[in-house]
Amino acid sequence: MSHMPTLKAGPEARAFNFSLEISLDPATTGSQCGLCSSPPAFPAPQSIPAMGPPAHLVTGQVGAEKWHKDAYTTVQEATKVTKHCGKEGLELWRTVPVPGQPEETPYERKVRKDSWKFKLDVLSTGEVKRKPPEGPGVTLWKSKVKPPPWVCKIAGPCFRDYTNTKTNEFVAQYTRDTRLVVSRLRQALIEINEQCKGLVRVRERLDAMLAKIRQSLLTNKQSQTIRDHRPPSEKIPDKVDGLMKWEKEEFVKMKAKLEGVMAMSEDHLKNVVGKGKFHDMPSSSQLLNMLQALGTNRQTLDTLCGERGRVLDLMPQPLRMVLLEAGRDSWLGLSRPSSPWVERNQTPTPDPIGPYTPECAAALEDARRLTVLSKEVMAKVQQAITEARELRNTTHTVIEESLQGKRDETLCLQEHLDMTLGGTRSTLHRCQRFQHEMGITKGMTLGPESSKYLETREKLTRPVVRVYQRHVGTQLPEPAILNQSTAQLERSMKETGENIERLQATRRQLREGIHDKQTGFDVDGSVKRLRQRNIHPRTCIQEIAQLVYT
């Protein structure tokens, strides 16, 4: 058997060599082995004299039957022990077959062993080389085979080094996983801290906007108070008064809305925070409770970071780089939506004794929930702030334009009154001059006060008249005409005097109207300047309260 190749490989190769070298099966040895089947009969002895030994002593087997059976039994037991030991030796290196799996046929065994042999590979230079098959296995260059890797159930010579290496690899992998968890915990802590800052800033902006709404209400009251100082003729309700009433109503509604945001009941908050939804506008207590929840979660994350980071003393801790290497859409993302086109790490299963403990999972889940909830709260509060700012700017713009329009109309009417006053003054001067002239005309019509001052041509007894009156029916109407003219002049002078009085009264009314229009113009200008000053972002409510006594 020395000419047969010896395979120094795995258990299958050893079994193969064993079957080639030793075979104790009686069926294979045949009659060549004296330990197996019945030995060949001795040649029949020649006839001997009758004085020889008895025939039964010289024929058949020499040894006793029991002796042969004992030898056969010993050989069979040794064969069984050999096979059993070989099987147990193979089972130490060979994988235990699956129960119920069909037994391997000889052809399948041959194909499997042929796959271990080296393959012929022709290089580009024409050289032929033997190449081991690809895949894991134990390459035996001398035997030109590559059986599968050995699977040993007992400790080998290098088991101590192997155990140390595997332990170090396990510890390193555990540390890397823990570092990833710590990195995400730290990232969650940073995001929660940013959410806390955002909530604080939103609450400050909400307080500032509520103060602005109160300032606008005070400005509206001051504007109405200032407009009450207008003359009675200018207090006729106009669009500016209607807009100011509308502004007050809207600001009162907005103030109630923002104060509801700032003072809603805390019981509703607890229910809302527990459910993770907001059906109404979040209140100030909700913001405070949200800040408290974020602070608690932040403290928990900080504690977990310190507790998980206790195993990272011997490992570099580039936490940001670890997150970048983990991928853009990490399994620990708080609010980033998952993308089907991005390969991301799967969320590990929480393990009480693993890197990702249930406490870490609960803290990250709370951080994720609070992050989404705080963003929703901030969005709604910011929406309320935006609505209040838009309402404030809209009302300011509309009322300012209305005030400017009222001032333009007042200025236009004042110019018309000035023109009318000028025309009235001119008419008054003409009437007065006409009345004076009519007085002179009346005096000239009446003549002198004494008859001794009459001229001859003015006397009714002048010669021409006396000669003319010598005939009958020659009475002249000159005295009646003079009397009528005098009476008409007196009536005209009286009517002109009345007209002068009306013109003077009209002039006084026009002057009062012009003065009232100028006063209304100045009051509207004061209101406009006051509103422009109060709308400035840096104006505080104390400064506004000191401007006008209300």
Side-chain angles (χ1 to χ4, degrees):
M1 300 295 291
S2 61
H3 65 280
M4 296 299 293
T6 302
L7 298 180
K8 299 179 180 180
E12 296 293 339
R14 293 177 120 187
F16 181 72
N17 295 338
F18 186 83
S19 64
L20 293 177
E21 293 178 0
I22 302 175
S23 179
L24 297 179
D25 191 359
T28 59
T29 56
S31 61
Q32 296 179 2
C33 181
L35 300 176
C36 299
S37 61
S38 300
F42 291 101
Q46 298 179 2
S47 61
I48 55 176
M51 57 181 307
H56 68 278
L57 296 177
V58 295
T59 59
Q61 296 180 351
V62 178
E65 186 68 25
K66 184 178 181 304
W67 178 72
H68 281 281
K69 289 183 179 180
D70 293 341
Y72 295 155
T73 302
T74 303
V75 171
Q76 291 176 358
E77 290 178 357
T79 304
K80 290 180 180 179
V81 171
T82 302
K83 290 182 177 181
H84 179 71
C85 293
K87 183 178 180 182
E88 288 184 351
L90 289 176
E91 288 179 352
L92 293 176
W93 296 86
R94 182 174 59 185
T95 306
V96 179
V98 181
Q101 185 178 4
E103 189 177 355
E104 186 179 24
T105 61
Y107 176 74
E108 293 175 350
R109 178 184 177 87
K110 180 178 181 302
V111 171
R112 180 166 55 83
K113 291 185 176 181
D114 289 341
S115 64
W116 300 350
K117 297 179 180 180
F118 282 18
K119 310 298 181 183
L120 295 177
D121 187 14
V122 180
L123 302 179
S124 59
T125 57
E127 184 181 359
V128 179
K129 284 189 175 182
R130 291 183 176 272
K131 183 179 179 181
E134 298 179 355
V138 181
T139 304
L140 302 176
W141 295 97
K142 185 176 181 181
S143 303
K144 304 300 182 184
V145 291
K146 185 180 179 181
W150 297 346
V151 181
C152 182
K153 297 182 181 180
I154 58 176
C158 59
F159 182 73
R160 183 183 183 85
D161 294 337
Y162 175 79
T163 303
N164 293 336
T165 303
K166 288 299 180 181
T167 301
N168 294 337
E169 291 178 357
F170 173 77
V171 171
Q173 183 63 36
Y174 180 87
T175 309
R176 285 191 293 268
D177 295 342
T178 305
R179 184 175 61 177
L180 178 60
V181 173
V182 172
S183 302
R184 205 61 190 105
L185 288 172
R186 181 63 61 181
Q187 182 67 21
L189 178 61
I190 294 173
E191 294 187 15
I192 290 296
N193 194 28
E194 292 298 325
Q195 294 301 318
C196 291
K197 294 180 182 178
L199 281 175
V200 171
R201 288 193 296 267
V202 165
R203 190 171 184 273
E204 291 176 353
R205 288 196 294 268
L206 184 61
D207 293 338
M209 182 51 62
L210 184 57
K212 293 296 182 183
I213 294 298
R214 291 169 179 161
Q215 292 178 13
S216 300
L217 282 172
L218 183 58
T219 302
N220 179 272
K221 185 177 180 180
Q222 292 175 349
S223 301
Q224 293 181 357
T225 303
I226 294 175
R227 283 177 65 84
D228 289 339
H229 291 83
R230 294 176 297 168
S233 61
E234 297 296 320
K235 289 184 179 181
I236 300 175
D238 52 8
K239 292 183 178 180
V240 177
D241 295 330
L243 287 174
M244 285 189 176
K245 291 180 181 179
W246 169 77
E247 179 190 32
K248 181 178 180 181
E249 293 175 358
E250 293 297 326
F251 281 154
V252 167
K253 293 179 182 178
M254 184 56 66
K255 178 184 175 183
K257 183 178 180 180
L258 294 182
E259 286 179 349
V261 172
M262 297 292 293
M264 196 177 295
S265 64
E266 189 173 355
D267 295 335
H268 177 65
L269 165 72
K270 294 181 179 179
N271 297 331
V272 170
V273 172
K275 296 179 181 178
K277 296 182 180 179
F278 284 105
H279 300 287
D280 298 325
M281 189 64 63
S283 66
S284 176
S285 58
Q286 289 175 348
L287 297 179
L288 294 176
N289 226 358
M290 178 64 65
L291 286 172
Q292 183 179 1
L294 289 173
T296 303
N297 184 258
R298 179 173 58 182
Q299 184 177 2
T300 303
L301 290 174
D302 191 16
T303 303
L304 289 174
C305 285
E307 189 272 331
R308 293 284 92 186
R310 295 173 61 186
V311 298
L312 303 180
D313 294 340
L314 302 179
M315 176 175 282
Q317 302 180 24
L319 303 181
R320 182 60 183 169
M321 297 302 298
V322 171
L323 287 180
L324 293 177
E325 292 177 359
R328 182 182 66 84
D329 195 4
S330 178
W331 55 269
L332 291 172
L334 292 182
S335 59
R336 182 183 296 118
S338 60
S339 175
W341 296 279
V342 177
E343 183 179 358
R344 58 186 183 276
N345 299 327
Q346 297 297 328
T347 303
T349 303
D351 187 3
I353 58 175
Y356 188 58
T357 60
E359 291 78 8
C360 296
L364 288 173
E365 182 62 28
D366 289 341
R368 183 183 297 109
R369 181 179 60 84
L370 291 175
T371 300
V372 175
L373 190 59
S374 60
K375 288 186 176 181
E376 181 181 354
V377 171
M378 287 190 291
K380 291 186 177 181
V381 174
Q382 186 62 38
Q383 181 180 0
I385 294 174
T386 304
E387 292 178 359
R389 183 184 299 111
E390 292 178 355
L391 175 63
R392 187 165 179 262
N393 294 336
T394 302
T395 54
H396 173 75
T397 303
V398 171
I399 294 180
E400 185 178 3
E401 292 177 355
S402 180
L403 284 172
Q404 185 61 38
K406 181 64 181 298
R407 295 188 72 198
D408 295 340
E409 294 176 1
T410 303
L411 189 62
C412 181
L413 293 176
Q414 185 180 3
E415 292 177 354
H416 283 294
L417 290 176
D418 286 335
M419 296 294 294
T420 305
L421 179 62
T424 304
R425 183 172 59 252
S426 177
T427 304
L428 177 62
H429 290 168
R430 287 195 301 268
C431 289
Q432 289 176 348
R433 188 168 55 250
F434 182 63
Q435 185 183 24
H436 178 66
E437 291 176 354
M438 283 192 296
I440 295 174
T441 303
K442 178 183 176 183
M444 293 177 65
T445 302
L446 290 176
E449 295 180 357
S450 177
S451 60
K452 65 181 179 179
Y453 296 109
L454 289 176
E455 296 180 358
T456 302
R457 62 182 183 86
E458 298 175 347
K459 294 181 180 181
L460 295 177
T461 60
R462 57 186 177 271
V464 177
V465 173
R466 285 201 307 267
V467 173
Y468 173 71
Q469 288 180 351
R470 290 175 180 176
H471 288 178
V472 179
T474 56
Q475 296 294 329
L476 294 175
E478 181 179 358
I481 293 174
L482 290 175
N483 293 331
Q484 292 177 0
S485 299
T486 302
Q488 187 176 2
L489 285 173
E490 290 178 354
R491 288 194 302 269
S492 297
M493 290 177 63
K494 183 179 180 181
E495 291 176 358
T496 304
E498 293 176 356
N499 291 335
I500 289 174
E501 291 178 358
R502 286 197 298 267
L503 287 174
Q504 289 178 350
T506 303
R507 185 173 64 174
R508 287 192 300 270
Q509 185 178 0
L510 289 175
R511 286 177 177 174
E512 291 176 359
I514 292 174
H515 180 268
D516 293 345
K517 293 291 185 294
Q518 184 64 38
T519 303
F521 182 82
D522 295 338
V523 168
D524 290 339
S526 300
V527 172
K528 183 180 177 181
R529 289 189 296 272
L530 174 68
R531 296 180 66 87
Q532 288 178 349
R533 181 175 182 177
N534 293 348
I535 199 67
H536 196 275
R538 295 184 180 179
T539 305
C540 61
I541 192 169
Q542 291 80 10
E543 182 181 358
I544 294 176
Q546 294 175 359
L547 293 178
V548 180
Y549 175 73
T550 57

